Amino acid sequence: LRSNLRCLQVASSWRAFQSFRKSSTSSDYIQDSIVPTMHFQHSLPRLPIPKLSYTCRRYLKSQEPVLTPEVYAATKKIVQDFEKGEGNSLNSQLIAQNKRNKHTSYISGPWFDMYLESRASIVLNFNPYMAYKFDERPEYNDQLIRSSNIVVSAMRLMKTLREGKLEPEVYHLNPKKSDTESFRKIARWMPQSIAAYYAILNKAFPLDMSQYFRLFNSTRVPQIGRDELVTDDSGRHLLVVRNGHYYTFDVIDQDGSIVSPADIQANLQYILNDNTPRPDAPVGYLTAENRDVWANVRTKIVDTSENNAQVMKMIDSAVFCLCLDDTSPDGPEDMTRNMLYGDAAYRWFDKSFQIIVCKNGLMSVNFEHAWGDGVAVLRLFNETFKDMNERPAVSPSSQPSNTDPSQGVNRLTLDLEPGVSNAINTARDNYEAATSKLCIDAYQHMDFGKNFLKTCKISPDSVMQLSFQMAYLRMTGQVGATYESCSTAAFKHGRTETLRSATQETTRCSQAFLKDSSASLEEKRRLLQECSDIHNQLTKEAAMGQGWDRHLFALRTLAAKEGKTPAIFADPAYSFINHIILSTSTLSAPAVLAGGFAPVVPNGLGIGYTALDDSVGCNITSYPDSLNASDFVACLIDCWKDIQDVLSKTNKQ
Ligand code: BUJ
């Protein structure tokens, strides 16, 4: 019932979202796709529930490298019993429930709950960031120019999306065949009920776009026990945060058109020139608090006055949050500190996304994770970057309009009771304590990249993942539980699957690369190939929804609802493999300068990485209880050199 209700909510929000239509000039759009945005959505394939026997087999395969043989034997017995007994009946229930809920995926509900029920601060624990490359035209990196342009480009994207003119997101396996006009012309005439099948037959995989309606006008609102995602697309204003002050002004006019860029520029200039001193208790810190604490304080704020209730409504319904930082991050560590968290007097972490623009023009997206995943945010990222480059709304010679910005810009003020100010001070102390512990190091290795690895017929991602295993083994003598995020957006309401990249193969290979190993060059080359082969297989499986993590997670959730904890989940080995030491995620897009996230456990590492044509790079975070990020980077560089050495020597032979 709960999941049905949620679906109704989603459907009605989507209808309201689409009803926002109005004829505007073509400069208000980033594109006019001949295939409507949601054309494939209705016929997307459903996320499969893997066979229980496959899940058990895959789970045991992932456990093998992290457990001792004795512990593994005990876990194997528990898993076999689960498969024959309790697991079997839970799985039948899951299958039946899934059949009754054809509009969604079996993971969607539990995954929203996982995020929204967590009471931990969303800062460091959930929100990641992605940084944009600088504009190649230095004069466009001026803070006012860049922020005016990103606002207009984001609004163009919002309008394009809402009017169904945004190209559907499609992963083209064979772009020459399907990323073509003729494919689009045929696809648009296909009835929506079969359009995705047609695309898939052409090796074009349409991706789920159900998350997109939460890109704009959306906020995670703290509530006791479980937060709520709120989308109010009647909001026409932008939220701007600077120096503890919160401002709004309209970026969409009453007719639904984008406000003139000159007016937007004038309003942003006005905010940048505002010298009002920083308040003693900036409310932004609260959005980084424990969620129950924040929920209680927020209720107090809202109950204090009608003005406060209105202010909160304005914040929640704003199109997005623009953070105008007074900093100029210098170097990768400084950038990650600024963009992953920064000064919370310049943030509202609950918004679906914040765009942070620094004094030196460095710009990032920091996003709340409950509503959506990397695919939707990357689309926002890529489209806005492209639009700002190709069709910047303002240029260094543009003059802000001479309308009076004090009429359009609202500085929001809250009536804060002493209890609330105290809560903000505590929130600030907690924030400083948590964020100051984070260690960060990043490195770009210029000696090889995808091009070289492809000539060796080795999967670049497998080399990256193997290098993490090697470095961890060299530093600790152990195999750490490892998570590689993999999108399952090729399925209706798919989210992510975990690719368990620590395998028997990576362990064998990492051991063979230890300094005291007697493995020959050929032996090492063969082991590298084995790692690549198994990694390719695991990648395909995860992307097809054939991992074990989400399936077991759904079964565990189902059992918990009945007050049961089957032995497989009480087994310490299950907790062990889910205490993620190496949390990894990768991104490579032309617009991306860098990105990052914090470790998910105190003794773990957060590893953002990229494999580019001629270089590989990583951005690593750690806490004091774990391996240090910089030590790990140093060891990683040695591993990359050793792998390259073996590959180049054996490639020549
Ligand atoms: O897996 C999931 O469900 C969501 C994951 C969660 N987690 C981050 C914990 C793995 N979320 C994502 O994967 C989204 C992450 C978005 C940021 C990715 C950053 C990648 C940065 C690469 C660039 C580093 C290059 C530095 C070079 C100096």
Side-chain angles (χ1 to χ4, degrees):
L1 177 69
R2 192 157 159 197
S3 107
N4 276 330
L5 278 176
R6 206 164 297 140
C7 169
L8 280 175
Q9 274 166 11
V10 169
S12 71
S13 311
W14 181 243
R15 269 196 301 278
F17 168 68
Q18 285 189 313
S19 68
F20 182 84
R21 282 169 187 271
K22 155 80 186 75
S23 59
S24 306
T25 60
S26 63
S27 67
D28 273 8
Y29 302 96
I30 57 165
Q31 56 193 210
D32 190 1
S33 169
I34 62 166
V35 186
T37 310
M38 301 306 275
H39 192 58
F40 299 115
Q41 188 68 25
H42 311 270
S43 48
L44 284 178
R46 298 198 66 208
L47 181 69
I49 297 178
K51 280 190 180 161
L52 185 60
S53 58
Y54 290 4
T55 292
C56 292
R57 179 169 49 76
R58 288 172 179 143
Y59 172 60
L60 286 173
K61 265 253 161 273
S62 302
Q63 284 286 19
E64 234 174 336
V66 292
L67 299 180
T68 61
E70 300 73 44
V71 179
Y72 175 76
T75 293
K76 189 171 174 186
K77 170 86 181 62
I78 294 173
V79 173
Q80 284 167 344
D81 291 349
F82 178 74
E83 186 185 337
K84 280 183 253 141
E86 233 174 336
N88 202 12
S89 66
L90 279 170
N91 200 42
S92 304
Q93 279 184 57
L94 185 68
I95 292 169
Q97 194 184 70
N98 192 43
K99 276 201 183 123
R100 291 193 299 272
N101 290 287
K102 294 216 163 74
H103 58 280
T104 187
S105 68
Y106 77 93
I107 202 61
S108 184
W111 210 240
F112 274 119
D113 290 343
M114 178 278 292
Y115 276 118
L116 296 171
E117 286 172 5
S118 167
R119 301 293 82 201
S121 164
I122 57 176
V123 181
L124 300 189
N125 295 310
F126 293 107
N127 286 30
Y129 89 90
M130 294 178 200
Y132 287 84
K133 279 195 181 140
F134 279 103
D135 198 305
E136 282 173 3
R137 302 154 295 185
E139 62 285 11
Y140 279 83
N141 291 316
D142 171 83
Q143 189 181 26
L144 176 62
I145 303 295
R146 214 167 194 211
S147 49
S148 305
N149 280 325
I150 186 72
V151 170
V152 176
S153 292
M155 287 305 93
R156 285 176 181 157
L157 172 66
M158 182 176 94
K159 280 180 65 75
T160 310
L161 170 65
R162 291 195 173 165
E163 295 184 29
K165 293 170 191 268
L166 184 72
E167 274 238 346
E169 187 74 42
V170 175
Y171 176 71
H172 296 277
L173 203 59
N174 186 353
K176 281 198 189 116
K177 193 173 163 201
S178 62
D179 198 1
T180 61
E181 270 314 286
S182 61
F183 167 80
R184 290 183 178 84
K185 278 184 183 151
I186 300 175
R188 73 188 280 207
W189 292 116
M190 292 280 159
Q192 289 192 348
S193 54
I194 57 164
Y197 299 102
Y198 169 75
I200 293 166
L201 277 176
N202 284 281
K203 295 206 174 348
F205 296 88
L207 302 186
D208 177 71
M209 296 184 78
S210 63
Q211 299 175 351
Y212 282 51
F213 83 96
R214 290 222 192 267
L215 260 173
F216 297 101
N217 298 107
S218 297
T219 304
R220 173 175 174 155
V221 176
Q223 307 266 314
I224 299 293
R226 185 184 191 277
D227 293 354
E228 200 186 335
L229 293 173
V230 173
T231 300
D232 176 358
D233 54 23
S234 64
R236 295 186 284 108
H237 56 282
L238 174 73
L239 172 68
V240 185
V241 193
R242 184 170 167 261
N243 200 26
H245 300 296
Y246 294 81
Y247 311 81
T248 58
F249 63 84
D250 282 356
V251 282
I252 301 289
D253 68 20
Q254 282 178 339
D255 297 334
S257 300
I258 301 175
V259 166
S260 90
D263 282 355
I264 291 177
Q265 189 182 356
N267 289 343
L268 291 175
Q269 185 171 54
Y270 174 78
I271 294 169
L272 283 168
N273 290 341
D274 185 359
N275 287 327
T276 314
R278 179 183 171 112
D280 290 337
V283 254
Y285 282 101
L286 290 170
T287 65
E289 256 293 7
N290 165 287
R291 303 305 290 178
D292 278 344
V293 171
W294 174 207
N296 277 324
V297 180
R298 192 182 144 114
T299 306
K300 273 193 201 130
I301 294 177
V302 169
D303 290 349
T304 300
S305 65
E306 183 48 33
N307 165 66
N308 282 3
Q310 278 308 317
V311 166
M312 285 300 164
K313 193 163 182 271
M314 288 301 277
I315 291 177
D316 295 347
S317 60
V319 286
F320 69 91
C321 177
L322 175 72
C323 308
L324 293 177
D325 280 15
D326 286 313
T327 54
S328 288
D330 189 16
E333 180 192 336
D334 211 10
M335 169 175 65
T336 294
R337 292 209 181 281
N338 201 100
M339 301 309 192
L340 188 60
Y341 57 95
D343 178 346
Y346 290 74
R347 302 285 179 269
W348 196 266
F349 290 105
D350 291 352
K351 285 302 281 181
S352 51
F353 70 92
Q354 306 175 83
I355 289 190
I356 304 165
V357 186
C358 296
K359 275 262 166 286
N360 59 355
L362 186 65
M363 181 167 83
S364 295
V365 172
N366 176 301
F367 67 98
E368 196 285 309
H369 223 323
W371 67 270
D373 298 305
V375 173
V377 180
L378 194 59
R379 185 74 187 269
L380 160 86
F381 195 92
N382 288 338
E383 295 290 359
T384 49
F385 185 75
K386 183 166 177 279
D387 191 60
M388 288 172 72
N389 275 326
E390 290 173 3
R391 250 177 4 136
V394 304
S395 74
S397 60
S398 307
Q399 287 303 313
S401 71
N402 50 18
T403 53
D404 178 6
S406 68
Q407 296 305 304
V409 178
N410 258 327
R411 185 152 65 76
L412 308 173
T413 49
L414 284 168
D415 316 310
L416 297 184
E417 289 183 341
V420 171
S421 300
N422 291 341
I424 295 174
N425 289 334
T426 308
R428 179 171 40 209
D429 293 346
N430 293 340
Y431 187 78
E432 304 301 344
T435 55
S436 62
K437 281 199 199 110
L438 193 72
C439 308
I440 301 166
D441 203 357
Y443 186 74
Q444 189 165 9
H445 187 70
M446 308 301 290
D447 291 1
F448 70 90
K450 272 194 300 196
N451 289 342
F452 168 71
L453 296 172
K454 280 181 191 161
T455 65
C456 307
K457 303 208 166 29
I458 291 269
S459 135
D461 195 56
S462 79
V463 168
M464 297 305 287
Q465 288 291 335
L466 170 67
S467 64
F468 307 144
Q469 294 305 314
M470 265 188 200
Y472 192 77
L473 186 83
R474 282 184 193 188
M475 294 182 77
T476 64
Q478 288 171 351
V479 179
T482 308
Y483 180 119
E484 179 180 355
S485 183
C486 176
S487 171
T488 52
F491 300 96
K492 185 178 284 181
H493 296 193
R495 298 229 37 179
T496 56
E497 180 55 271
T498 310
L499 199 168
R500 291 286 180 165
S501 47
T503 58
Q504 290 289 65
E505 288 76 2
T506 56
T507 308
R508 273 198 294 271
C509 189
S510 302
Q511 281 161 348
F513 272 75
L514 288 174
K515 297 285 177 231
D516 57 0
S517 149
S518 58
S520 68
L521 201 59
E522 289 67 32
E523 174 84 1
K524 288 180 185 168
R525 178 65 179 84
R526 190 179 57 74
L527 291 168
L528 283 170
Q529 193 62 52
E530 280 179 17
C531 290
S532 177
D533 294 346
I534 188 74
H535 190 76
N536 282 343
Q537 182 199 325
L538 291 174
T539 306
K540 275 186 210 131
E541 286 178 358
M544 295 308 289
Q546 295 289 337
W548 59 262
D549 276 78
R550 300 301 177 266
H551 189 195
L552 286 190
F553 181 79
L555 295 174
R556 181 165 67 104
T557 310
L558 209 58
K561 282 197 178 129
E562 294 170 3
K564 294 185 194 147
T565 309
I568 189 175
F569 303 123
D571 180 7
Y574 182 77
S575 312
F576 188 71
I577 206 164
N578 283 308
H579 182 88
I580 302 296
I581 300 292
L582 303 173
S583 169
T584 78
S585 185
T586 183
L587 207 62
S588 39
V592 176
L593 175 69
F597 49 91
V600 293
V601 294
N603 60 339
L605 297 167
I607 306 181
Y609 66 99
T610 187
L612 303 174
D613 285 347
D614 295 304
S615 67
V616 292
C618 63
N619 190 14
I620 312 233
T621 55
S622 67
Y623 290 118
D625 292 349
S626 92
L627 285 183
N628 175 268
S630 297
D631 296 344
F632 190 76
V633 169
C635 189
L636 206 47
I637 298 169
D638 283 344
C639 296
W640 285 338
K641 285 185 179 151
D642 292 351
I643 294 173
Q644 189 192 4
D645 186 50
V646 170
L647 285 174
S648 24
K649 283 182 181 150
T650 48
N651 224 19
K652 278 186 209 127
Q653 282 170 357

